[in-house]
PDB file of all heavy atoms in Angstrom:
ATOM      1  N   LEU Y 217     -11.468 104.971 141.379  1.00  0.00           N
ATOM      2  CA  LEU Y 217     -11.117 104.613 140.004  1.00  0.00           C
ATOM      3  C   LEU Y 217     -12.116 105.153 138.994  1.00  0.00           C
ATOM      4  O   LEU Y 217     -11.744 105.598 137.909  1.00  0.00           O
ATOM      5  CB  LEU Y 217     -11.019 103.085 139.878  1.00  0.00           C
ATOM      6  CG  LEU Y 217      -9.861 102.420 140.626  1.00  0.00           C
ATOM      7  CD1 LEU Y 217      -9.954 100.895 140.483  1.00  0.00           C
ATOM      8  CD2 LEU Y 217      -8.523 102.920 140.100  1.00  0.00           C
ATOM      9  N   GLY Y 218     -13.393 105.114 139.353  1.00  0.00           N
ATOM     10  CA  GLY Y 218     -14.410 105.517 138.397  1.00  0.00           C
ATOM     11  C   GLY Y 218     -14.744 106.995 138.390  1.00  0.00           C
ATOM     12  O   GLY Y 218     -15.053 107.566 137.341  1.00  0.00           O
ATOM     13  N   LEU Y 219     -14.668 107.638 139.555  1.00  0.00           N
ATOM     14  CA  LEU Y 219     -15.148 109.016 139.678  1.00  0.00           C
ATOM     15  C   LEU Y 219     -14.120 109.968 140.287  1.00  0.00           C
ATOM     16  O   LEU Y 219     -14.399 111.163 140.413  1.00  0.00           O
ATOM     17  CB  LEU Y 219     -16.414 109.035 140.551  1.00  0.00           C
ATOM     18  CG  LEU Y 219     -17.572 108.145 140.105  1.00  0.00           C
ATOM     19  CD1 LEU Y 219     -18.688 108.151 141.145  1.00  0.00           C
ATOM     20  CD2 LEU Y 219     -18.104 108.570 138.749  1.00  0.00           C
ATOM     21  N   GLY Y 220     -12.953 109.465 140.646  1.00  0.00           N
ATOM     22  CA  GLY Y 220     -12.040 110.274 141.435  1.00  0.00           C
ATOM     23  C   GLY Y 220     -11.046 111.122 140.684  1.00  0.00           C
ATOM     24  O   GLY Y 220     -10.439 112.030 141.256  1.00  0.00           O
ATOM     25  N   ALA Y 221     -10.842 110.853 139.395  1.00  0.00           N
ATOM     26  CA  ALA Y 221      -9.736 111.500 138.685  1.00  0.00           C
ATOM     27  C   ALA Y 221     -10.000 112.962 138.334  1.00  0.00           C
ATOM     28  O   ALA Y 221      -9.077 113.668 137.937  1.00  0.00           O
ATOM     29  CB  ALA Y 221      -9.418 110.718 137.409  1.00  0.00           C
ATOM     30  N   THR Y 222     -11.219 113.431 138.470  1.00  0.00           N
ATOM     31  CA  THR Y 222     -11.524 114.831 138.129  1.00  0.00           C
ATOM     32  C   THR Y 222     -11.098 115.793 139.232  1.00  0.00           C
ATOM     33  O   THR Y 222     -10.567 116.872 138.966  1.00  0.00           O
ATOM     34  CB  THR Y 222     -13.025 115.007 137.861  1.00  0.00           C
ATOM     35  OG1 THR Y 222     -13.753 114.462 138.980  1.00  0.00           O
ATOM     36  CG2 THR Y 222     -13.438 114.300 136.582  1.00  0.00           C
ATOM     37  N   THR Y 223     -11.336 115.403 140.491  1.00  0.00           N
ATOM     38  CA  THR Y 223     -11.054 116.308 141.614  1.00  0.00           C
ATOM     39  C   THR Y 223     -10.191 115.687 142.699  1.00  0.00           C
ATOM     40  O   THR Y 223      -9.874 116.356 143.685  1.00  0.00           O
ATOM     41  CB  THR Y 223     -12.373 116.777 142.273  1.00  0.00           C
ATOM     42  OG1 THR Y 223     -13.079 115.625 142.764  1.00  0.00           O
ATOM     43  CG2 THR Y 223     -13.240 117.541 141.296  1.00  0.00           C
ATOM     44  N   GLY Y 224      -9.826 114.420 142.556  1.00  0.00           N
ATOM     45  CA  GLY Y 224      -9.089 113.758 143.625  1.00  0.00           C
ATOM     46  C   GLY Y 224      -9.990 113.139 144.669  1.00  0.00           C
ATOM     47  O   GLY Y 224      -9.528 112.718 145.716  1.00  0.00           O
ATOM     48  N   PHE Y 225     -11.271 113.098 144.390  1.00  0.00           N
ATOM     49  CA  PHE Y 225     -12.335 112.502 145.221  1.00  0.00           C
ATOM     50  C   PHE Y 225     -12.156 112.719 146.717  1.00  0.00           C
ATOM     51  O   PHE Y 225     -11.960 111.821 147.496  1.00  0.00           O
ATOM     52  CB  PHE Y 225     -12.578 111.031 144.856  1.00  0.00           C
ATOM     53  CG  PHE Y 225     -11.604 109.972 145.319  1.00  0.00           C
ATOM     54  CD1 PHE Y 225     -12.045 108.943 146.136  1.00  0.00           C
ATOM     55  CD2 PHE Y 225     -10.281 109.965 144.899  1.00  0.00           C
ATOM     56  CE1 PHE Y 225     -11.174 107.931 146.547  1.00  0.00           C
ATOM     57  CE2 PHE Y 225      -9.418 108.974 145.287  1.00  0.00           C
ATOM     58  CZ  PHE Y 225      -9.854 107.952 146.127  1.00  0.00           C
ATOM     59  N   ALA Y 226     -12.322 113.977 147.136  1.00  0.00           N
ATOM     60  CA  ALA Y 226     -12.360 114.256 148.569  1.00  0.00           C
ATOM     61  C   ALA Y 226     -13.514 113.486 149.206  1.00  0.00           C
ATOM     62  O   ALA Y 226     -13.335 112.782 150.193  1.00  0.00           O
ATOM     63  CB  ALA Y 226     -12.525 115.750 148.827  1.00  0.00           C
ATOM     64  N   ILE Y 227     -14.708 113.638 148.639  1.00  0.00           N
ATOM     65  CA  ILE Y 227     -15.955 113.009 149.097  1.00  0.00           C
ATOM     66  C   ILE Y 227     -16.084 113.025 150.626  1.00  0.00           C
ATOM     67  O   ILE Y 227     -16.769 112.171 151.196  1.00  0.00           O
ATOM     68  CB  ILE Y 227     -16.154 111.594 148.537  1.00  0.00           C
ATOM     69  CG1 ILE Y 227     -15.025 110.637 148.943  1.00  0.00           C
ATOM     70  CG2 ILE Y 227     -16.287 111.634 147.025  1.00  0.00           C
ATOM     71  CD1 ILE Y 227     -15.266 109.172 148.540  1.00  0.00           C
ATOM     72  N   ASN Y 228     -15.470 114.014 151.257  1.00  0.00           N
ATOM     73  CA  ASN Y 228     -15.414 114.069 152.717  1.00  0.00           C
ATOM     74  C   ASN Y 228     -14.934 115.460 153.125  1.00  0.00           C
ATOM     75  O   ASN Y 228     -13.756 115.777 152.971  1.00  0.00           O
ATOM     76  CB  ASN Y 228     -14.439 112.992 153.220  1.00  0.00           C
ATOM     77  CG  ASN Y 228     -14.348 112.943 154.729  1.00  0.00           C
ATOM     78  OD1 ASN Y 228     -14.643 113.898 155.437  1.00  0.00           O
ATOM     79  ND2 ASN Y 228     -13.896 111.809 155.238  1.00  0.00           N
ATOM     80  N   PRO Y 229     -15.822 116.307 153.635  1.00  0.00           N
ATOM     81  CA  PRO Y 229     -15.409 117.664 154.010  1.00  0.00           C
ATOM     82  C   PRO Y 229     -14.290 117.706 155.049  1.00  0.00           C
ATOM     83  O   PRO Y 229     -13.391 118.548 154.959  1.00  0.00           O
ATOM     84  CB  PRO Y 229     -16.691 118.275 154.577  1.00  0.00           C
ATOM     85  CG  PRO Y 229     -17.790 117.512 153.917  1.00  0.00           C
ATOM     86  CD  PRO Y 229     -17.278 116.108 153.786  1.00  0.00           C
TER      87      PRO Y 229
END
Side-chain angles (χ1 to χ4, degrees):
L217 292 176
L219 304 174
T222 52
T223 60
F225 76 120
I227 60 173
N228 182 337

